[in-house]
């Protein structure tokens, strides 16, 4: 399918761009890039590990393009180096563990808030000018304009500390060993709930506004008017004619929103001390663990590109005009 | 332009938003008159709850929270507006050039725009900031400016494409005006509402992101700003020891500024796109129907 | 006029503004007899489409049909219908063809689904019955029934408008409103579509309320014509009368703007 093939090639280019930034950034900073990146490593790591680490990041003898190719080669073989703080844990493994929690949290929150937001936006647009519309619009403006860090801190303070309804950190009760037991799964859900609700609160408003605007612009379309003239029920016109079409631009704006979603989740994880990518990254920043900091950009970019690809596929499935004809 | 301004005057969202933002700006400007304390100095015992001496309490280091809050507003506003301006200038210029020139120029710019849009923004900022070290507010503003213009470029380009088709642009082309003049004097004034939305949106984004970066420990901890207030409070475990004022004060300030700016932004959007309005005419309509004056 | 199918009396419609109202339709009265083609002419913005929308009660706020207005179809008071009766009334009694041929079909639904939802809503048809009826209707407008599984974007503009007309016929309505049905199409397709409608009308006996700014087209196609000017119906009469002996200044001006028509087309 040419559309999807084109997108895939574009994503590959974007991933290489992220890697290129990683490669040039330490070399653009004043001073010696090796000293900058591995100052803490030099004192803690055995010399042969340090040499391996340098090789991974392209610090080899030779012209810059050779260094660049060396770096790209290590990335595409899945070698992101080792964490300095948690030596000798490879970065891929460290981030891989964290990614599971982030994907679970962010994926669920995104799906919930996308559907909830689109539903509220649909209602607001359909009942434009009524009290329902005003309430939904004003609430979503408020929800979107409050920074994720603020929402998270306030939620943690009230629901975690003051009322004590939810745990204030970690992904599950530390006393439990990971297992497929009811107790463990329950603990995981209980720990995920507050960060999840917070993220939904942060994200839903944006989706609501997008859907409302898309839908209002569609309500004047002839096919929506014709659906009403056909005597179809209001609900059928609203869902199958107006919302179904307004969903198309909403899905493609979802792809752009994913960046914000990831950013929001980073912060939420740090506040809730949730062991996902955000928190791993926070620890790495505090320790100036550069291999991990660089690795997260690649992992995040890859996650973003996969999510974008899923959005593209969904779009193709939803819009018959893109099927077949390309 | 005039239409935009009169529209803003009659829009309730715009008035409320503008009031909030103006109050914060005034407080920031007149900060020295509003507190007797030096925001950096130890002026009381650690973590004291709000009292007559310290209306918003003290931090763990015994600094006055209110003083830090109003001096911090200066930093947040300065970074917000500087970065917002930079983001808007870059985005608008690239968007207009890509949209107006079309062809190869457009392809190249659009390719980069889309690329920047799929590389997640905050992780990218984190990497850059981590290498820069303890970034001061203006360095953060600069980093934001060079990484966050893509959305603005995209919407400006789309708008330019439609303005380009209009008669006055064609007329200017016929008269042999140079391209830069057409872009600056024919296209730009006609995409102004998009530029406005882009600017306010970018300011919101910059204020939030600066606070977030500082909260994550990537700023200069000696700078007084809402982000470093959050960072220091979090490091001092303010929530678990019950010093809520230490963390809620900057939280509420950030939320208020965010809400004020967003209200302004939605107001501009509604004026540029009247269909989105919830309009007072619908209220009149409803009362006429109720009064039996007519029906649908 | 007890023998008329559609009777519009003193129809007045305002668009409610924040401070002032805009009167789009002002005291308009006319009748359409069974089997008759009645045309509403006038430049864009004169309120002719607003009248058409009112007959099916399709207006949304801030449009307001003022009290004292009356619309009757086959004796029924259209403005008094409640929601359920209105849904039942729409399409079964009055079907409608819209201006934009490219845009009146839902792009994400198959053609058969857009027939099916009419048939299922009004006749409680099963899928299979709906398909049979769809095939029958598509044949009427010369579209291969097997294409009912296609999506709208796979058809040309003229074909899409024919599909819309076929959907109009699905319930045997008494009145078909055509709101500038051919403006978006080229002249050859335009003619073809109008001929098709004329044949169908003779066959099935519905009336047509035809709306256009194109007087030439109107004179060929309509039995009677009403001319609208800024919300008011300034003149109405038989097509040939309006054509040969226009009474109102505005009608004369309209004719003057189509010089090539004089004498040529009606012949």
């Amino acid at each position: 399918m040419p559309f999807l093939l084109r997108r895939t090639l574009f994503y590959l280019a974007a991933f290489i761009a992220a890697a290129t930034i990683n490669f040039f950034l330490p070399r653009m900073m004043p001073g010696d890039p090796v000293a900058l990146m591995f100052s803490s490593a030099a004192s803690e790591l055995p010399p042969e590990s340090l040499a391996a680490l340098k090789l991974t990041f392209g610090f080899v003898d030779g012209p810059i393009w050779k260094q660049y190719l060396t770096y790209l080669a290590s990335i595409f073989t899945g070698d992101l180096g080792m964490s300095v703080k948690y030596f000798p844990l490879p970065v891929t493994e460290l981030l891989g563990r964290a990614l599971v929690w982030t994907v679970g949290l962010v994926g669920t929150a995104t799906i919930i808030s996308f559907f909830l937001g689109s539903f509220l936006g649909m209602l607001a647009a359909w009942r434009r000018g009524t009290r329902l519309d005003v309430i939904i619009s004003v609430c979503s403006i408020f929800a979107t304009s409050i920074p994720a860090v603020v929402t998270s801190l306030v939620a943690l303070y009230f629901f975690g500390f003051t009322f004590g309804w939810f745990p204030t950190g970690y992904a599950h009760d530390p006393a439990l060993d990971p297992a497929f037991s009811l107790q463990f799964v329950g603990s995981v859900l209980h720990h995920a709930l507050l960060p999840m609700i917070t993220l939904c609160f942060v994200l839903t408003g944006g989706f609501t506004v997008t859907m409302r605007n898309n839908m209002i612009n569609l309500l004047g379309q002839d096919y929506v008017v014709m659906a009403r003239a056909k005597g179809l029920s209001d609900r059928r016109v609203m869902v199958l004619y107006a919302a179904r079409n307004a969903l198309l631009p909403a899905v493609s704006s979802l792809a752009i929103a994913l960046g914000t979603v990831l950013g929001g989740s980073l912060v939420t994880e740090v506040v809730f001390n949730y062991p996902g990518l955000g928190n791993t990254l926070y620890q790495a920043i505090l320790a100036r663990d550069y291999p991990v900091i660089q690795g997260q950009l690649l992992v995040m970019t890859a996650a973003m590109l996969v999510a974008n690809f899923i959005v593209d596929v969904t779009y193709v499935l939803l819009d018959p005009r893109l099927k077949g004809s390309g | 332009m005039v239409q935009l301004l009169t529209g803003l005057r009659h829009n309730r969202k715009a008035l409320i938003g503008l009031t909030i933002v103006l109050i914060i700006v005034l407080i920031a400007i007149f900060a020295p008159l509003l507190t007797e304390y030096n925001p950096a100095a130890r002026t009381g015992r650690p973590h004291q709850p709000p009292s007559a001496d310290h209306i918003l309490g003290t931090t763990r280091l015994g600094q006055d929270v209110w003083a830090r809050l109003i001096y911090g507003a200066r930093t947040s506003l300065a970074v917000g507006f500087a970065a917002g301006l930079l983001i808007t200038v870059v985005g608008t210029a690239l968007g207009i050039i890509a949209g107006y020139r079309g062809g190869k120029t457009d392809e190249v710019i659009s390719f980069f725009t889309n690329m920047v849009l799929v590389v997640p923004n905050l992780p990218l900022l984190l990497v850059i900031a981590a290498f820069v070290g303890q970034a001061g507010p203006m360095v953060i503003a600069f980093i934001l400016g060079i990484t966050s213009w893509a959305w603005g470029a995209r919407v400006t380009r789309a708008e330019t494409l439609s303005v380009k088709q209009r008669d006055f642009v064609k007329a200017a082309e016929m008269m042999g005006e140079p391209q830069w003049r057409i872009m600056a004097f024919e296209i730009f004034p006609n995409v102004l509402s998009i530029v406005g939305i882009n600017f306010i949106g970018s300011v919101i984004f910059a204020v939030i992101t600066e606070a977030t970066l500082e909260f994550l420990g990537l700023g200069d901890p000696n700078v007084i700003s809402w982000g470093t207030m959050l960072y220091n409070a979090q490091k001092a475990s303010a929530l678990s020891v019950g010093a809520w004022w230490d963390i809620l004060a900057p939280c509420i300030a950030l939320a208020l500024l965010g809400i004020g700016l967003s209200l302004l932004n939605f107001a501009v959007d509604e004026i540029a796109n009247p269909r989105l309005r919830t309009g007072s005419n619908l209220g009149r309509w409803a009362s006429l129907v109720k009064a039996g004056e007519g029906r649908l | 006029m007890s023998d008329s199918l559609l009777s519009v009396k003193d129809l007045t419609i305002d668009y409610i503004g924040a401070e002032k109202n805009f009167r789009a339709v002002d005291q308009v009265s006319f009748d359409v007899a069974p089997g008759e083609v009645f045309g509403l002419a006038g430049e864009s913005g004169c309120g002719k489409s607003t009248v058409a929308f009112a007959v099916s009660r399709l207006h949304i706020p801030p449009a307001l049909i003022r009290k004292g207005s009356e619309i009757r179809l086959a004796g029924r008071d259209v403005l008094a219908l409640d929601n359920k009766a209105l849904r039942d009334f729409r399409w079964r009694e009055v079907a409608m063809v819209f201006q934009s041929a490219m845009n009146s079909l839902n792009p994400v639904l198959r053609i058969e689904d857009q027939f099916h939802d009419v048939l299922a809503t009004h006749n409680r048809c099963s899928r299979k019955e709906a398909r049979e009826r769809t095939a029958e209707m598509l044949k009427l407008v010369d579209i291969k029934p097997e294409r009912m599984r296609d999506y709208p974007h796979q058809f040309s503009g003229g074909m899409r408008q024919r599909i819309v007309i076929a959907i109009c016929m699905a319930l045997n309505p008494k009145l078909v409103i055509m709101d500038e049905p051919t403006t978006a199409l080229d002249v050859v397709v335009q003619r073809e579509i109008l001929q098709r409608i004329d044949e169908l009308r003779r066959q099935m006996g519905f009336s047509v309320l035809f709306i256009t700014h194109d007087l030439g087209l109107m004179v060929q196609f309509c039995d009677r014509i009403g001319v609208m000017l800024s919300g008011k119906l300034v003149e109405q009469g038989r097509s040939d009368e309006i054509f040969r002996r226009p009474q109102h200044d505005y009608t004369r001006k309209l004719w003057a703007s189509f010089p090539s028509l004089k004498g040529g087309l009606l012949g």
Side-chain angles (χ1 to χ4, degrees):
Chain A
M1 204 167 280
F3 171 73
L4 291 181
L5 186 68
R6 217 169 50 234
R7 297 300 289 167
T8 311
L9 286 177
F10 171 71
Y11 293 148
L12 196 64
F15 185 76
I16 292 176
T20 310
I21 293 172
N22 266 348
F23 175 78
F24 281 106
L25 211 51
R27 288 169 173 81
M28 272 160 46
M29 292 298 140
D32 177 18
V34 182
L36 173 69
M37 275 191 78
F38 306 118
S39 54
S40 55
S43 54
E44 288 172 24
L45 266 53
E48 61 277 8
S49 308
L50 187 61
L53 205 51
K54 281 183 189 166
L55 180 71
T56 302
F57 285 90
F59 292 110
V60 291
D61 293 331
I64 190 107
W65 59 265
K66 195 179 158 200
Q67 298 187 8
Y68 180 58
L69 290 182
T70 314
Y71 177 63
L72 281 189
S74 41
I75 283 173
F76 279 96
T77 49
D79 177 10
L80 299 181
M82 282 166 288
S83 161
V84 175
K85 189 181 177 200
Y86 299 104
F87 180 80
L89 196 61
V91 170
T92 40
E93 204 183 317
L94 182 71
L95 294 178
R97 279 184 205 165
L99 188 65
V100 178
W101 295 110
T102 298
V103 167
L105 185 67
V106 174
T108 323
T110 309
I111 291 169
I112 293 176
S113 33
F114 180 74
F115 282 103
L116 183 64
S118 298
F119 178 74
L120 291 175
M122 174 183 83
L123 283 186
W126 191 252
R127 300 283 186 83
R128 192 164 73 97
T130 61
R131 189 168 304 159
L132 182 73
D133 177 25
V134 175
I135 292 172
I136 291 179
S137 300
V138 170
C139 289
S140 21
I141 292 179
F142 282 175
T144 42
S145 44
I146 301 175
V149 55
V150 171
T151 317
S152 308
L153 284 169
V154 171
L156 179 68
Y157 176 66
F158 284 109
F159 302 114
F161 286 106
T162 310
F163 305 147
W165 292 347
F166 296 99
T168 57
Y170 308 112
H172 54 82
D173 190 336
L176 293 173
D177 283 324
F180 258 115
S181 66
L182 203 60
Q183 199 188 11
F184 180 74
V185 174
S187 171
V188 167
L189 289 180
H190 189 211
H191 282 74
L193 204 55
L194 190 56
M196 184 98 79
I197 295 173
T198 309
L199 262 182
C200 287
F201 181 84
V202 171
L203 301 174
T204 304
F207 293 129
T208 309
V209 173
T210 313
M211 185 65 176
R212 176 177 180 272
N213 292 1
N214 290 338
M215 180 116 160
I216 283 177
N217 287 325
L218 276 184
L219 286 181
Q221 295 284 343
D222 277 353
Y223 57 81
V224 177
V225 185
M226 177 160 155
R228 292 177 55 228
K230 277 157 105 177
L232 308 183
S233 66
D234 268 13
R235 192 191 298 171
R236 202 174 172 84
V237 179
M238 173 172 81
V239 174
L240 208 57
Y241 284 75
R244 177 68 173 71
N245 281 287
L247 210 55
L248 290 173
V251 166
S252 60
S253 74
L254 172 64
I256 297 177
L258 284 173
T260 325
V261 172
L262 276 180
S265 77
L266 286 188
V267 175
T268 307
E269 285 176 11
V270 173
V271 171
F272 288 100
N273 198 7
Y274 198 79
L277 279 176
N279 209 12
T280 311
L281 184 59
Y282 179 59
Q283 303 301 333
I285 290 171
L286 295 184
R288 299 286 155 185
D289 191 345
Y290 285 105
V292 176
I293 298 176
Q294 285 213 337
Q296 66 83 28
L297 177 62
L298 295 179
V299 171
M300 289 285 200
T301 307
M304 176 91 168
L305 299 180
V306 170
N308 261 278
F309 186 75
I310 296 174
V311 169
D312 286 342
V313 173
T314 316
Y315 197 94
V316 171
L317 290 178
L318 283 177
D319 189 348
R321 283 162 291 192
L322 281 176
K323 268 179 221 154
S325 57
Chain B
M1 189 70 194
V2 177
Q3 190 193 350
L4 197 69
L5 289 179
T6 49
L8 282 176
R9 236 188 26 232
H10 291 291
N11 190 303
R12 200 158 32 140
K13 284 193 189 113
L15 286 180
I16 300 175
L18 202 60
T19 313
I20 295 176
V21 176
L22 275 183
I23 289 177
I24 296 176
V25 170
L26 288 177
I27 287 179
I29 293 175
F30 296 109
L33 303 178
L34 295 168
T35 178
E36 51 187 302
Y37 296 115
N38 175 346
R42 177 186 291 263
T43 56
R45 286 188 295 119
H47 270 166
Q48 277 191 296
S51 64
D53 279 348
H54 299 281
I55 50 171
L56 289 180
T58 59
T59 68
R60 199 171 73 144
L61 298 176
Q63 299 143 323
D64 184 71
V65 173
W66 168 247
R68 291 180 76 75
L69 192 70
I70 58 181
Y71 278 95
R74 294 177 162 189
T75 317
S76 288
L77 288 171
V79 172
F81 283 98
L85 198 65
L86 192 57
I87 293 171
T88 313
V89 169
V90 177
T92 306
L94 287 176
I96 291 182
I97 293 172
Y100 181 70
R101 298 274 304 262
K104 276 271 176 295
T105 321
D106 182 22
E107 267 175 43
V108 172
I109 295 179
S110 293
F111 180 77
F112 275 101
T113 309
N114 291 332
M115 189 115 89
V116 174
L117 278 174
V118 291
V119 175
N121 199 282
L122 193 62
L124 176 65
L125 288 168
L126 290 176
V127 173
I128 299 177
F131 276 103
V132 171
Q134 296 187 334
M138 282 307 135
V139 176
I140 292 183
F142 178 74
I143 298 174
L144 287 177
I146 56 169
T147 52
S148 312
W149 46 266
W151 184 83
R154 187 169 162 140
V155 292
T156 312
R157 173 181 171 274
E159 190 72 7
T160 304
L161 284 179
S162 74
V163 171
K164 181 168 115 169
Q165 302 301 328
R166 307 246 288 268
D167 290 342
F168 55 85
V169 178
K170 299 273 176 236
E173 278 169 359
M174 297 283 214
M175 284 161 52
E177 293 228 27
Q179 285 195 342
W180 69 268
R181 271 197 71 96
I182 295 180
M183 289 192 259
F185 296 107
E186 309 291 342
I187 308 265
F188 177 70
N190 285 288
V191 297
L192 214 54
S193 61
I194 290 283
V195 175
I197 290 168
N198 185 10
F199 175 67
I200 303 174
S202 303
V203 173
I204 299 174
F205 168 80
V207 168
I208 291 179
T209 312
E210 185 236 7
T212 306
L213 287 178
E214 286 176 343
F215 171 74
L216 293 176
L218 287 163
D220 177 352
N222 297 317
V223 166
I224 295 162
S225 73
W226 294 345
T228 49
M229 286 177 80
L230 289 175
Y231 170 72
N232 288 323
Q234 172 85 351
K235 240 182 39 176
S237 310
L239 283 187
S240 40
V241 303
W244 49 268
W245 55 89
D246 199 3
I247 252 178
L248 290 193
C251 277
I252 291 169
L254 274 168
L256 268 180
L257 183 56
I259 289 173
L261 288 166
S262 300
L263 283 173
L264 261 183
N265 212 11
F266 279 94
V268 176
D269 202 5
E270 282 181 356
I271 290 157
N273 190 354
R275 271 197 274 186
L276 301 180
R277 233 171 281 176
T278 34
S280 49
N281 61 332
L282 294 174
R284 269 194 76 211
W285 179 88
S287 61
L288 284 168
V289 171
K290 239 188 213 136
E293 285 300 313
R295 57 175 316 142
L296 271 182
Chain C
M1 283 246 245
S2 56
D3 59 339
S4 67
L5 172 74
L6 172 69
S7 144
V8 173
K9 225 156 73 199
D10 296 332
L11 181 63
T12 303
I13 301 174
D14 283 345
Y15 286 102
I16 306 300
E19 278 136 36
K20 288 187 304 207
N21 301 338
F22 172 72
R23 181 140 295 185
V25 176
D26 195 359
Q27 301 271 326
V28 166
S29 304
F30 62 89
D31 290 279
V32 182
E36 184 183 37
V37 181
F38 183 83
L40 267 183
E43 59 205 3
S44 52
C46 71
K48 53 193 194 305
S49 293
T50 311
V51 172
F53 269 47
V55 175
S56 267
R57 298 253 314 266
L58 287 174
H59 283 294
I60 52 171
L64 189 73
I65 302 178
R66 288 290 180 169
K67 69 173 176 189
S69 308
E70 204 182 290
I71 300 174
R72 288 183 169 276
L73 193 109
R76 271 168 96 187
D77 182 354
V78 176
L79 294 180
L81 298 174
D82 64 14
N83 277 337
K84 193 185 167 307
L86 180 63
R87 280 206 299 274
D88 211 41
F89 162 86
R90 285 175 176 165
W91 220 256
R92 178 178 294 290
E93 310 280 320
V94 179
M96 202 160 171
V97 182
F98 293 85
Q99 178 164 1
S100 147
M102 303 308 277
N103 211 3
S104 13
L105 293 169
N106 186 345
V108 299
L109 289 187
R110 294 178 196 281
I111 300 300
E112 63 167 340
D113 294 325
Q114 309 199 33
F115 274 92
H116 175 251
D117 58 15
V118 165
L119 294 165
T121 306
H122 290 279
N123 290 354
R124 310 207 166 279
C125 269
S126 69
R127 269 271 159 201
K128 189 162 162 284
E129 290 163 340
R131 262 192 206 125
E132 279 161 17
R133 182 79 178 149
T134 305
E136 198 182 319
M137 291 296 114
L138 285 177
K139 269 186 233 153
L140 273 185
V141 294
D142 277 341
I143 288 181
K144 290 200 193 88
E146 53 272 27
R147 294 203 63 188
M148 71 170 82
R149 306 260 318 143
D150 287 352
Y151 288 95
H153 72 274
Q154 291 164 294
F155 296 90
S156 71
M159 288 168 99
R160 282 188 224 183
Q161 206 62 314
R162 271 163 30 213
I163 293 171
V164 172
I165 291 166
I167 299 179
C168 282
M169 302 298 115
L171 299 177
N172 269 326
K174 299 192 179 82
L175 174 71
V176 177
I177 299 174
M178 306 202 161
D179 185 6
E180 311 235 11
T182 56
T183 12
L185 304 172
D186 67 63
V187 188
V188 180
V189 181
Q190 226 175 58
R191 180 163 280 284
E192 190 189 299
I193 296 246
L194 290 180
Q195 278 170 356
R196 176 70 44 140
I197 294 168
D198 209 45
E199 282 163 27
L200 288 169
R201 183 180 64 87
R202 282 169 212 287
Q203 223 173 309
M204 309 173 87
F206 53 84
S207 308
V208 177
L209 176 57
F210 187 74
I211 290 166
T212 184
H213 60 269
D214 185 341
L215 273 175
L217 211 60
M218 186 152 267
V219 171
Q220 298 173 68
F221 188 58
C222 298
D223 302 317
R224 285 190 312 124
I225 294 179
V227 179
M228 282 188 75
L229 171 64
S230 46
K232 291 194 170 69
L233 190 64
V234 291
E235 182 167 6
Q236 59 174 315
R238 291 220 325 268
S239 297
D240 52 337
E241 277 169 6
I242 296 255
F243 179 59
R244 283 186 228 284
R245 285 183 299 280
Q247 302 296 311
H248 197 274
D249 265 356
Y250 178 68
T251 319
R252 274 195 282 271
K253 276 192 205 132
L254 273 182
W255 282 131
S257 61
F258 288 95
S260 59
L261 279 176
K262 273 282 173 193
L265 278 165
L266 271 186

